[in-house]
Amino acid sequence: MSKPTSKSYLWYYHVLGGLLRGLAHLPLTMLYGLADFIYFLLAYVVRYRQNVILTNLRNSFPEKPEAEIQQLQKQFYRNFAQVLVETLKLGAISNEELKRRVTFRNPEVLERHFAQGRTVLGLSSHAGNWEWVLTSGALWLSAHVDGVYKPLMNPFFESFMRQLRTGTGAGLIPMRDTLRDLVQRRGETRVVSLLSDQAAGPEDRPYWTTFMNQDAGFYTSAERLASRFNCPVVYVGIHRLHQGRYEIVLADLYDGNSPLPTDSFPITEAFVRHLEADIRAFPADYLWSHRRWKHKREARR
């Protein structure tokens, strides 16, 4: 992993960068030892977003007893700590090892669209290790992989994370440039990955639906982009098999040809239902520290 070239960093960012690059070269077995320490800090010392996590879990699983909710919280902290060190490892992991650790169960779902020369929208979420989805996709798939992301405000961490995310050949598209990128590269055979589970506010004119027993607003960019650019849409699920091992499972949501209704959002609704099923199957693997349900639907007049 190359050193960031910006001269605007304060001196301690250069020290931090050297430390992080050094840690990335440690074997994952050692990094998981570090993850155990991070878990202890998150769960018992810092109590990172404890109230947010517990509230999200209680509201999402009202049928579960409190003891199970508390256990899920601890397991979330442990999994989250492992995702942190696995993401750091992207700075030094070989393509061969990453491909062994992340397998695509049914890549043919995407390959069928690539064979037709299509641009595909891949809808993913903050489940499993979301940072390994884009990077492993660049190794498994025959077409180029781009990820839409929100740039970080801190220039050091923006540069550092960009290097981690593009090390296997994947590309990044700043969120604000998504439409322009699709216009300029219209018809290119590739997959454009969108993290589609983020909370849409009232100003975003969200699609409201029930998600994990709660009212939730979702961005409707999948429908708008698929309709305008005739893009097939695929759900990208990532399942944790065990420590450091994940499986990507794909499912078609839209063929890119059928007319889409203007007064409903079937692609987004299908994405929500797939994601909900994955969360129920792997409840500790979702990003429960995110304030996903912070926005409330406006009351109808």
Side-chain angles (χ1 to χ4, degrees), residues 37-253:
F37 177 66
I38 295 173
Y39 158 72
F40 176 79
L41 291 178
L42 292 176
Y44 297 103
V45 180
V46 180
R47 298 180 185 273
Y48 174 68
R49 294 196 174 185
Q50 182 184 71
N51 291 336
V52 172
I53 297 166
L54 286 174
T55 298
N56 285 342
L57 287 170
R58 288 166 181 154
N59 291 341
S60 297
F61 302 102
E63 75 283 0
K64 292 186 182 297
E66 182 62 20
E68 188 173 350
I69 294 295
Q70 296 284 341
Q71 185 61 34
L72 281 174
Q73 183 200 41
K74 295 299 190 297
Q75 188 59 50
F76 161 75
Y77 280 133
R78 189 174 297 280
N79 291 349
F80 183 58
Q82 291 179 9
V83 168
L84 292 178
V85 300
E86 288 168 358
T87 300
L88 178 61
K89 185 61 181 176
L90 286 174
I93 197 170
S94 69
N95 289 352
E96 293 74 20
E97 182 177 3
L98 183 60
K99 195 171 181 180
R100 285 196 307 270
R101 291 185 172 276
V102 184
T103 58
F104 276 63
R105 181 194 296 178
N106 53 345
E108 65 275 6
V109 172
L110 281 169
E111 296 295 343
R112 285 195 297 266
H113 299 303
F114 296 155
Q116 299 173 1
R118 309 292 290 272
T119 295
V120 185
L121 300 180
L123 306 189
S124 59
S125 69
H126 292 87
N129 185 332
W130 54 94
E131 293 291 353
W132 276 12
V133 175
L134 187 72
T135 50
S136 61
L139 302 177
W140 273 93
L141 303 173
S142 64
H144 189 68
V145 177
D146 289 311
V148 176
Y149 82 113
K150 185 176 181 179
L152 301 174
M153 296 297 294
N154 183 291
F156 169 79
F157 285 107
E158 165 63 14
S159 174
F160 186 78
M161 290 303 299
R162 173 176 283 273
Q163 292 174 60
L164 295 184
R165 290 165 171 165
T166 60
T168 59
L172 291 177
I173 305 168
M175 189 182 300
R176 64 180 177 275
D177 296 335
T178 304
L179 182 60
R180 180 171 61 183
D181 182 88
L182 285 168
V183 169
Q184 292 176 344
R185 300 168 65 185
R186 187 165 193 156
E188 184 176 322
T189 304
R190 59 174 174 153
V191 58
V192 177
S193 177
L194 305 169
L195 280 169
S196 301
D197 63 326
Q198 302 185 65
E203 69 280 1
D204 301 307
R205 294 182 295 176
Y207 166 65
W208 289 93
T209 188
T210 301
F211 171 50
M212 297 305 296
N213 294 302
Q214 302 160 79
D215 236 6
F218 286 82
Y219 289 98
T220 58
S221 52
E223 271 82 6
R224 290 185 282 106
L225 296 175
S227 177
R228 177 166 179 175
F229 297 99
N230 301 114
C231 294
V233 183
V234 169
Y235 174 77
V236 181
I238 179 165
H239 304 161
R240 184 192 301 269
L241 301 179
H242 49 84
Q243 187 183 72
R245 302 282 179 173
Y246 299 89
E247 181 180 58
I248 306 295
V249 182
L250 307 171
D252 278 311
L253 300 181

Side-chain angles (χ1 to χ4, degrees), residues 21 28 82 252 291:
R21 287 190 294 275
L28 264 174
Q82 291 179 9
D252 278 311
R291 295 180 62 213

